Amino acid sequence: MYNSYEDIKNEYEKIRQRNSFIVSERRDKVYRDYPELREMDHKIFSMFVNIVKSRDDSDKAESFMQELERYKALRKDFLKEHGIEDNYREAQYTCKKCKDTGFVNGKKCSCYVEKEIEMYDNISNFRKYIVSDNFANLNMDYYRQEGYSDKYYNYMDRSIEEIKADIDDIDNKPFYYRFTGPPGTGKTFLSRCIGAEVLKHNKSVLYLNVTEYMDSLKPDHEGVSFKKYAILADLFILDDLGTEYSSEFSRTEINYIIDKRLNDRKSMIITSNLMTDALKHRYLASMCSRIDNLFKEYYLSGEDLRRNVNASIK
C-alpha cells in the first residue's frame, strides 16, 4: 500500500535490491557448480581492463585483444558443452521498460503510474465513490424531468459528449471545468463520473471536498497535507467550493492551487453552489478572473438528485 511518493520510491529500491539478490544467487550457483567458468569470466574481465589501460600502446592493446577473443571462444564452447544458458549474470528487472527505475526517458513508466494511482486512491479513497458514480450509471432521463423543456436535456447531452471528448484527449490537452447550480443537481456525481473515466486512461485522480482539503493544510493538522498531491495529480477534483470556512488563509491557498494547476497545465474540476457574483464577494479577484476565463462552466439544474437517486442511477 502506497500512502506517499516516498513509499513508491522505497518500493522501487526494494525491487532493485530483490532482483539484484536473485541475480547474485543465480550467478554464484553457476560458479559453485562450474568453478572453471568463474575463472574464465575473471580472465575476460581482466582483459577488458588491460585493453583500456593499454589504449596508448597499440601493440600491447592488440595482444590483449587477441587474448580476450581466445577466452571468449573458450567460454562459448564451455557453455555449449555443459548446456549452460548465457544469462546467469544478466540483470533481472520486474519492469523491463524502465528497468525498475519508474521512468523511461524522463517520463513516468506505466508501472510507476499504477503505483501512483493506488497511492491517490489510498489518500482520498476515490474508488469507493465510482462504484456507482460513473458514466455507465448515468441515466440521461434525469435531464428530462417534468417541467423542463428538451432544451436542458439537449444542453446536458451535448455537454457530456464534449466532456468525454476532452477526457479522450487528456494526454494532449488539460481541461478545466466548473460545475455550478443548486444543491443536489448532480455536480458532484458528474465530477466523479469524469474522474472514473480519467482513471481508465491510466491517470491519477485526487478527489477532495474543499473543507477536507483546507483542514489538511492547517499548521496544527496532525494528518497528511494534501497540498503536494493536489499539485501533482493528473486530475484534481475540488468539491463544494464555497462551503469551507472563509479566511485569508483559505482564500490564499485555494488561489494558489488553482493558479498552480493552470500554470502546470494539469486538469482540474471545481464544483460549487456559488455563482460568479457570489464567488467575487468571497475570493481574490485574480482567482475569480482565472475561473471565469479559463474554466468552462456547466450549469446544472432540475430537481434535487438526492431526493430521487433512481432518476439518475439505473
Side-chain angles (χ1 to χ4, degrees), residues 123-138:
I123 291 170
S124 63
N125 205 11
F126 181 59
R127 289 184 188 273
K128 76 175 183 182
Y129 300 113
I130 62 175
V131 172
S132 59
D133 295 6
N134 56 70
F135 282 126
N137 286 333
L138 174 61

Side-chain angles (χ1 to χ4, degrees), residues 4 15 59 139 154 177 185 283 299:
S4 68
I15 290 172
D59 290 340
N139 188 340
N154 293 334
Y177 301 148
T185 51
Y283 298 104
Y299 181 80

Side-chain angles (χ1 to χ4, degrees), residues 253-270:
E253 288 296 338
I254 293 172
N255 179 74
Y256 170 81
I257 193 58
I258 290 174
D259 192 44
K260 178 65 175 172
R261 291 195 66 84
L262 286 168
N263 288 336
D264 291 351
R265 293 181 54 78
K266 287 183 173 290
S267 299
M268 185 172 185
I269 299 173
I270 294 170

Side-chain angles (χ1 to χ4, degrees), residues 42-60:
H42 178 72
K43 287 288 186 182
I44 289 171
F45 177 76
S46 296
M47 290 306 107
F48 274 117
V49 173
N50 289 334
I51 290 169
V52 172
K53 289 181 177 179
S54 305
R55 60 183 178 273
D56 295 329
D57 188 333
S58 58
D59 290 340
K60 186 178 289 187

Side-chain angles (χ1 to χ4, degrees), residues 162-175 201 203 265 267:
E162 289 175 354
I163 288 169
K164 288 180 177 179
D166 286 344
I167 295 171
D168 287 339
D169 197 36
I170 192 172
D171 283 329
N172 302 311
K173 186 174 67 175
F175 55 79
H201 289 257
K203 301 292 182 182
R265 293 181 54 78
S267 299

Side-chain angles (χ1 to χ4, degrees), residues 45-106:
F45 177 76
S46 296
M47 290 306 107
F48 274 117
V49 173
N50 289 334
I51 290 169
V52 172
K53 289 181 177 179
S54 305
R55 60 183 178 273
D56 295 329
D57 188 333
S58 58
D59 290 340
K60 186 178 289 187
E62 178 63 27
S63 175
F64 287 133
M65 184 68 74
Q66 291 176 3
E67 191 73 358
L68 171 64
E69 292 303 318
R70 186 173 74 83
Y71 275 110
K72 287 172 67 175
L74 288 171
R75 180 179 180 275
K76 182 178 180 180
D77 290 342
F78 186 89
L79 293 175
K80 184 176 180 180
E81 178 183 350
H82 294 86
I84 304 171
E85 293 289 334
D86 192 11
N87 63 355
Y88 58 90
R89 299 178 301 173
E90 289 182 5
Q92 175 169 311
Y93 301 111
T94 300
C95 178
K96 292 181 172 58
K97 288 187 292 184
C98 69
K99 297 182 178 179
D100 298 335
T101 64
F103 294 85
V104 180
N105 297 325

Side-chain angles (χ1 to χ4, degrees), residues 26 36 47-48 57 79-80 83 92 94 97-98 144 151 154 166 188 219-222 236 277 288 306:
R26 184 176 61 204
E36 308 96 315
M47 290 306 107
F48 274 117
D57 188 333
L79 293 175
K80 184 176 180 180
Q92 175 169 311
T94 300
K97 288 187 292 184
C98 69
R144 289 190 187 277
K151 184 177 180 180
N154 293 334
D166 286 344
T188 295
D220 59 349
H221 181 67
E222 296 181 358
F236 178 37
D277 288 344
C288 294
R306 301 185 187 100

